[in-house]
């Protein structure tokens, strides 16, 4: 097997490869949208759209992280309440 000798092929995971390919495809599609916005509305509008989409993605990740901590906190609170009974 050729991939056993090369470090590049170390992680042969088709799901990970699909995920990375989808990221590349999303980048390709977004370049067409960005070029359209930049050509018609200017560079400032393109940058503002990029900033807004970045903050929406970051806030989504932050909210999911916060919800995970709230779930853990609720489980711990219930466990402590059960210990006091």
């Amino acid at each position: 097997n050729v991939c056993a000798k090369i470090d590049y092929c170390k992680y042969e995971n088709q799901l990970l490869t699909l995920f990375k390919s989808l990221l590349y495809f999303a980048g390709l599609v977004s370049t067409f949208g960005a070029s359209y916005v930049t050509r018609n509305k200017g560079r400032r509008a393109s940058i503002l759209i990029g900033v807004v989409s970045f903050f929406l993605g970051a806030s989504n990740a932050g909210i999911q992280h916060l919800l995970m901590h709230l779930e853990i906190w609720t489980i711990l609170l219930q466990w402590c309440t059960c210990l006091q009974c």
Side-chain angles (χ1 to χ4, degrees):
N1 188 2
V2 176
C3 282
K5 299 176 187 173
I6 303 172
D7 285 337
Y8 182 75
C9 299
K10 200 171 194 175
Y11 300 105
E12 280 191 59
N13 187 347
Q14 291 183 353
L15 188 62
L16 180 62
T17 304
L18 175 68
F19 176 70
K20 285 174 64 178
S21 297
L22 287 176
L23 285 178
Y24 293 139
F25 184 70
L28 175 71
V29 171
S30 66
T31 57
F32 292 118
S35 66
Y36 175 78
V37 171
T38 304
R39 186 173 44 248
N40 292 328
K41 302 293 182 186
R43 224 173 41 173
R44 184 177 182 145
S46 178
I47 291 172
L48 286 175
I49 290 172
V51 167
V52 168
S53 66
F54 175 79
F55 280 119
L56 286 176
S59 67
N60 185 22
I63 288 171
Q64 288 178 355
H65 186 69
L66 177 67
L67 289 176
M68 182 185 71
H69 283 295
L70 287 177
E71 290 174 7
I72 292 172
W73 176 252
T74 306
I75 291 169
L76 287 175
L77 186 64
Q78 289 173 351
W79 183 64
C80 291
T81 306
C82 290
L83 284 177
Q84 291 177 358
C85 291

